[in-house]
Amino acid sequence: MYSIAGIALSHHYKRQKSYSMNADEVMHLIQRYTDHTASAEEIALLESWYAERAAGGEQPLFSAEGEETDRLLADRFLAMKSRSLADIMSIPIPQKTIQMQPRKSYARWAVVAASLFFTFFSGLYFYRELIQDPLAEVHIAPADAETVLTLGDGRQILLEEASTGGLAKEAGITVTKNAEGTLVYKAAGAGAASTYHTVETHKGGGQVLVLQDGSKVYLNASSSLKFPPTFAAKGKRRVELMGEAYFEVAKDPAHPFMVSSKGQELQVLGTHFNLSAYPEDGAVKTTLLEGSVEVFPIGDAQGKAGFGQGRKGLLLKPGQQSVVTSSAAQLVNANVEEAVAWKNGYFRFNDEPIESVMKKIARWYDIEVDYAGAPTNEGLSGTISRFTDISDVLRMLEKTKVVHFKVEGRRVTVMK
Amino acid sequence: MSEYKNLPDQELIGLLSENTGPVFNEVYNRYWSQLFLHVRRMLGDDELAKDIVQEVFTNIWERSPDFSISTSLSSYLYTAVRNRVFNEIKQQKVKSVHLQDIAAFFSRGQYEADEALRYQQLKSAIELEISKMPEKMREIFELSRHQYLSHKQIAALMNISEHTVRTQVQRALRLLRQKIDLPVPTLFFLAHLLK
């Protein structure tokens, strides 16, 4: 049976120039193959060899020693099969839910996330349709990350270009960039600078910082964090956020941690939370994963949602989210996974309005968004890696059948 | 458990996140034998073959909450296994015979330029592997592919001891034997279950 297939296929063989190689060269070739850097011709040659070898030729696989041996051998293989299955199934499956205490580094998450292809969960779940895909020609990768650190004296450092190691030394601190790209502030010697540093990310970017008190901040794309390189010995630890960040605040009850952002102030003792406060978004959302935070809406000029100077805040419990707009402030039960998906390398939408979805996408890919006609009222759901091409993201959204996209250059038009 | 037996691969994979244990079990049963025999042919080492196939399945198991592929399941499995075999060859865990063989193949300079056809060749080589076994061995293998679950598998899935599973199966068999004349293949299957 196989030989028939073999003969039939052999007609398709193409003859090319021949190579003569030694063992070392073959090793390098395989290396290139496994690194995905081999040429198309090399790949074709190696895979052709592999297929031919797999077909086996004259090689006998089993010695002809009779039925009894065959039976024993088959039993041995089947025992391996069961043992192997039991081994695999004894491994606990990682859950989809977010770990409450993230341990891995941002960079490693990114690698893991990038290696995961394409996940998509929603009420409407369709396999990729190969026929008629206008997005097939669209290739927009996440924008080039560009993150700028501005020091107290106004000097600016482009973090992607900075080499690993010490970046700056100021009164009382050292700033280093570690192997994973995290910016680490450490107290060194006496003295405290009374200046501020700012880290600003752009589209497609992100930055992890460890502040001098040990608090860790994961800054999302198109965001900036202003903070003192050393926190004052007395009083509160104050930082300012524009955009979105996930905070893991080091516990220090004597020095409450304050985050000022658009529309609100927030006070914590030691906790994990996500704060999304982009200027273009209507609402400022604080999502608590662990510990406790208190949110103080600032309110608009008329003080509609303001809590005045008497300052009675919204106290969040883990799993809750505060939503602060210029006219209202409320507590809701949070979709925690959705709130921190960005940090884990995903876009995650759960019945989300198309405008909000497109804002998130536009902060990551360098695109402009247009709407043809009134956008749909239906919410969109889906999860996909942030490290994929924009066409994958748009294709996923199109599967919901409530939106379609037209892409011209960097302009994405949303259609019904 | 048998409700998954007749599902095509695509649908099966779609159910993996929902009902991980039984669905994974079916995927494993469907593909283990041919993958194992294929890697065994390529590397000539039973344990190594077992380990490589185990790695590929472990990867699916660990990713089962989000597992999704853009190709067919067989294509995913065959190429995953091929990459690992190349890795083994590279790490010279296998005799350098392969290196010479590749060099010789290259000097002949004949290759299939069409990726789809190359893949078809690999696919038929892997899928015909079982048919190339000696008859008795193949019988046992085929049986295991079409059987539902082994004691160990049932025990693992239901979180009960293997002993309990065995007792239950024996009891059921005794009942069956009293009531009906079983056709030979079924007896073979049941006997295998009792091993």
Side-chain angles (χ1 to χ4, degrees):
Chain A
M1 198 169 166
Y2 180 75
S3 60
I4 296 168
I7 289 163
L9 289 170
S10 67
H11 288 302
H12 295 280
Y13 270 98
K14 287 192 178 174
R15 207 184 153 80
Q16 297 285 335
K17 63 173 182 270
S18 64
Y19 297 75
S20 91
M21 312 176 84
N22 61 33
D24 258 2
E25 286 165 331
V26 177
M27 293 276 280
H28 282 116
L29 176 73
I30 299 175
Q31 181 71 49
R32 284 200 297 283
Y33 179 84
T34 52
D35 290 348
H36 306 288
T37 55
S39 72
E41 195 178 12
E42 288 170 336
I43 293 170
L45 269 156
L46 264 184
E47 290 184 352
S48 296
W49 168 79
Y50 191 97
E52 193 184 89
R53 184 88 196 175
E58 313 83 55
Q59 282 190 319
L61 236 202
F62 302 97
S63 53
E65 285 176 32
E67 285 191 1
E68 215 35 54
T69 323
D70 290 345
R71 193 191 272 273
L72 287 174
L73 201 53
D75 279 349
R76 201 156 70 79
F77 292 164
L78 291 174
M80 280 179 161
K81 181 183 170 189
S82 306
R83 195 173 76 224
S84 203
L85 181 73
D87 284 352
I88 296 169
M89 292 182 77
S90 67
I91 302 170
I93 308 175
Q95 292 302 300
K96 249 189 280 181
T97 46
I98 301 305
Q99 285 183 316
M100 291 305 268
Q101 291 217 297
R103 261 173 241 108
K104 289 178 187 166
S105 76
Y106 185 70
R108 271 179 67 180
W109 274 339
V111 172
V112 172
S115 74
L116 287 173
F117 255 103
F118 174 140
T119 47
F120 169 46
F121 306 94
S122 79
L124 297 160
Y125 186 142
F126 297 102
Y127 277 99
R128 182 178 290 216
E129 290 157 50
L130 290 169
I131 36 157
Q132 287 191 346
D133 182 3
L135 293 171
E137 298 303 309
V138 174
H139 299 291
I140 302 177
D144 282 340
E146 195 176 73
T147 304
V148 179
L149 165 66
T150 308
L151 302 176
D153 57 8
R155 267 188 302 146
Q156 294 199 316
I157 301 170
L158 186 59
L159 290 179
E160 280 77 16
E161 284 177 6
S163 51
T164 305
L167 290 184
K169 229 178 176 144
E170 287 184 10
I173 52 129
T174 59
V175 186
T176 51
K177 177 177 148 183
N178 72 17
E180 283 159 349
T182 303
L183 207 53
V184 182
Y185 281 73
K186 276 216 171 90
S194 56
T195 56
Y196 278 91
H197 285 190
T198 307
V199 172
E200 189 176 359
T201 60
H202 294 91
K203 283 185 179 188
Q207 179 66 40
V208 185
L209 297 95
V210 177
L211 303 180
Q212 168 255 318
D213 66 337
S215 294
K216 201 167 181 183
V217 184
Y218 300 76
L219 199 58
N220 200 353
S222 310
S223 301
S224 77
L225 185 77
K226 187 176 167 190
F227 55 94
T230 47
F231 289 107
K234 280 184 183 168
K236 294 176 172 169
R237 295 174 280 170
R238 285 181 179 278
V239 303
E240 268 176 51
L241 174 71
M242 200 281 301
E244 182 165 32
Y246 178 83
F247 291 85
E248 294 172 13
V249 175
K251 267 205 171 65
D252 184 358
H255 302 92
F257 195 93
M258 300 285 301
V259 186
S260 309
S261 62
K262 177 192 158 194
Q264 70 174 37
E265 288 207 319
L266 170 160
Q267 174 168 320
V268 303
L269 299 176
T271 193
H272 294 185
F273 65 97
N274 191 75
L275 172 54
S276 177
Y278 281 106
E280 67 271 26
D281 286 349
V284 175
K285 294 179 179 172
T286 309
T287 311
L288 185 64
L289 283 82
E290 195 185 306
S292 105
V293 302
E294 194 164 9
V295 171
F296 301 95
I298 297 168
D300 59 12
Q302 283 78 39
K304 269 191 224 152
F307 281 60
Q309 289 306 305
R311 310 263 281 184
K312 196 172 173 310
L314 291 168
L315 195 61
L316 273 72
K317 289 192 202 115
Q320 286 186 326
Q321 183 178 64
S322 66
V323 182
V324 176
T325 65
S326 60
S327 58
Q330 59 170 329
L331 278 183
V332 296
N333 285 328
N335 183 333
V336 172
E337 278 180 47
E338 188 188 328
V340 300
W342 67 268
K343 185 172 73 72
N344 300 330
Y346 289 94
F347 287 111
R348 189 180 197 99
F349 310 119
N350 185 20
D351 202 18
E352 194 160 333
I354 181 71
E355 293 95 327
S356 164
V357 167
M358 294 314 292
K359 274 179 194 159
K360 285 185 182 170
I361 293 173
R363 285 198 281 262
W364 188 247
Y365 299 97
D366 189 12
I367 55 158
E368 283 174 52
V369 179
D370 264 355
Y371 292 87
T376 174
N377 293 324
E378 287 194 59
L380 300 176
S381 302
T383 304
I384 192 165
S385 167
R386 297 215 297 177
F387 300 95
T388 179
D389 205 86
I390 197 170
S391 56
D392 291 336
V393 181
L394 299 180
R395 211 178 271 125
M396 176 191 82
L397 295 171
E398 284 192 341
K399 299 241 164 78
T400 61
K401 306 279 185 207
V402 298
V403 280
H404 290 92
F405 300 96
K406 195 170 78 187
V407 183
E408 292 158 316
R410 302 213 155 260
R411 177 171 300 274
V412 176
T413 307
V414 183
M415 303 175 299
K416 267 204 186 177
Chain B
M1 306 286 164
S2 61
E3 60 185 297
Y4 299 115
K5 286 206 78 70
N6 298 321
L7 282 188
D9 285 358
Q10 293 278 82
E11 285 175 43
L12 198 59
I13 281 300
L15 293 170
L16 187 61
S17 64
E18 272 170 41
N19 208 352
T20 306
V23 173
F24 178 79
N25 200 92
E26 173 59 26
V27 172
Y28 185 89
N29 265 324
R30 221 172 261 194
Y31 283 99
W32 188 86
S33 303
Q34 63 209 49
L35 291 176
F36 170 78
L37 292 172
H38 161 66
V39 181
R40 184 175 183 271
R41 175 181 296 282
M42 294 304 289
L43 300 177
D45 183 321
D46 293 352
E47 281 297 322
L48 198 53
K50 187 209 90 180
D51 288 348
I52 284 177
V53 176
Q54 186 168 334
E55 270 173 43
V56 170
F57 280 114
T58 301
N59 193 20
I60 297 178
W61 172 254
E62 290 185 323
R63 287 165 52 192
S64 55
D66 301 304
F67 188 73
S68 170
I69 43 179
S70 53
T71 58
S72 69
L73 177 62
S74 58
S75 159
Y76 170 85
L77 289 169
Y78 300 160
T79 50
V81 158
R82 182 174 61 194
N83 285 338
R84 283 181 162 79
V85 170
F86 271 126
N87 259 324
E88 289 300 325
I89 295 173
K90 192 180 68 194
Q91 289 167 20
Q92 283 191 309
K93 283 185 185 161
V94 271
K95 304 159 267 156
S96 62
V97 162
H98 279 317
L99 300 179
Q100 292 162 20
D101 198 33
I102 294 171
F105 187 88
F106 269 56
S107 66
R108 269 194 283 144
Q110 277 187 339
Y111 64 88
E112 176 51 70
D114 185 302
E115 193 188 344
L117 283 175
R118 269 192 330 260
Y119 174 70
Q120 276 309 317
Q121 287 174 296
L122 175 64
K123 188 173 152 74
S124 57
I126 292 178
E127 286 171 0
L128 285 168
E129 197 67 75
I130 289 177
S131 69
K132 293 186 216 160
M133 294 177 117
E135 197 189 333
K136 183 56 70 189
M137 195 187 282
R138 190 178 66 241
E139 236 170 66
I140 298 173
F141 254 75
E142 292 284 7
L143 209 52
S144 94
R145 285 217 298 166
H146 298 296
Q147 135 203 347
Y148 296 92
L149 301 159
S150 76
H151 291 156
K152 203 165 207 153
Q153 294 158 1
I154 296 168
L157 278 174
M158 300 181 65
N159 208 11
I160 53 180
S161 77
E162 252 185 279
H163 177 75
T164 313
V165 178
R166 182 177 287 268
T167 324
Q168 295 293 338
V169 172
Q170 274 167 345
R171 192 173 299 155
L173 269 182
R174 231 183 351 258
L175 282 172
L176 277 172
R177 277 198 214 102
Q178 289 163 3
K179 296 200 180 222
I180 42 166
D181 286 329
L182 292 170
V184 176
T186 318
L187 274 175
F188 200 147
F189 158 65
L190 289 170
H192 180 72
L193 206 57
L194 273 177
K195 266 199 297 251

